[in-house]
Amino acid sequence: RKEVEQDPGPFNVPEGATVAFNCTYSNSASQSFFWYRQDCRKEPKLLMSVYSSGNEDGRFTAQLNRASQYISLLIRDSKLSDSATYLCVVSHYNTDKLIFGTGTRLQVFP
Amino acid sequence: EPEVTQTPSHQVTQMGQEVILRCVPISNHLYFYWYRQILGQKVEFLVSFYNNEISEKSEIFDDQFSVERPDGSNFTLKIRSTKLEDSAMYFCASGLRQGNGYTFGSGTRLTVV
């Protein structure tokens, strides 16, 4: 079983739509959680860290459910520029190795 | 905004040759990493480096691989004898603190022929 699982998509949504991605992780020792964004053939870029209380950054909201071991990302009012692959990333207690999911591809169309 | 710089952006090498991939991390960062991404696959951890020594490495990071911080600014990844399956995008990353998320460089695409 993969340690971090994501639906690969693609999610095709119109501009202005709200879209949600989920991610599950298998290791209960996971301590830190992130969403990264990766454009085609580019480097991953940190979108936001995910905290237990949930957190918001503009149009983006991230939630963490430790009991169910899943993380979500909600994008409101999608823009064409949001088209990318969204990577769910975890790391364990006492290590800073990042464990990546395979990513969920989002395509926003006009 | 500070950047992690990687050179070259693309390297083609013959199987069996040695390659050195170079990175200049963000200047006040203390933690340094190499990751790789084979085309169409997920990003995979190779090695982390702190206080001038390897702090953690993955199964991928075998004796063919080595890292060095020769001069306080550069951070290099050497592959001693490249194999076809080493073809991938190699990303350098750096961070100020553990567990805070890191900044990745734009990557070096290594093609082994």
Side-chain angles (χ1 to χ4, degrees), chain B residues 59-92:
Chain B
E59 294 171 352
I60 304 167
F61 194 89
D62 61 22
D63 292 344
Q64 296 290 344
F65 291 86
S66 62
V67 289
E68 203 177 31
R69 188 156 160 80
D71 57 13
S73 62
N74 291 286
F75 180 50
T76 62
L77 174 70
K78 183 192 292 186
I79 310 174
R80 259 179 275 284
S81 177
T82 49
K83 308 187 214 28
L84 294 177
E85 55 265 37
D86 293 328
S87 295
M89 184 73 101
Y90 287 81
F91 293 110
C92 175

Side-chain angles (χ1 to χ4, degrees), chain A residues 2-3 32 34 36 38 41-46 49 87 91 94-102, chain B residues 31 33 35 37 39 42-45 48 55-56 89 91 98-102 104-107 109:
Chain A
K2 292 178 191 171
E3 183 158 356
S32 300
F34 309 93
Y36 276 76
Q38 187 174 31
R41 294 181 177 253
K42 302 280 191 185
E43 75 273 24
K45 289 187 177 172
L46 179 63
S49 302
L87 308 174
S91 69
N94 217 26
T95 171
D96 51 0
K97 173 176 84 171
L98 297 181
I99 302 162
F100 284 78
T102 49
Chain B
Y31 297 85
Y33 311 88
Y35 286 77
Q37 187 174 30
L39 190 63
K42 65 179 182 177
V43 178
E44 299 175 290
F45 170 78
S48 58
S55 45
E56 193 173 354
M89 184 73 101
F91 293 110
Q98 263 194 334
N100 240 26
Y102 315 119
F104 283 79
S106 55
R109 179 166 298 283

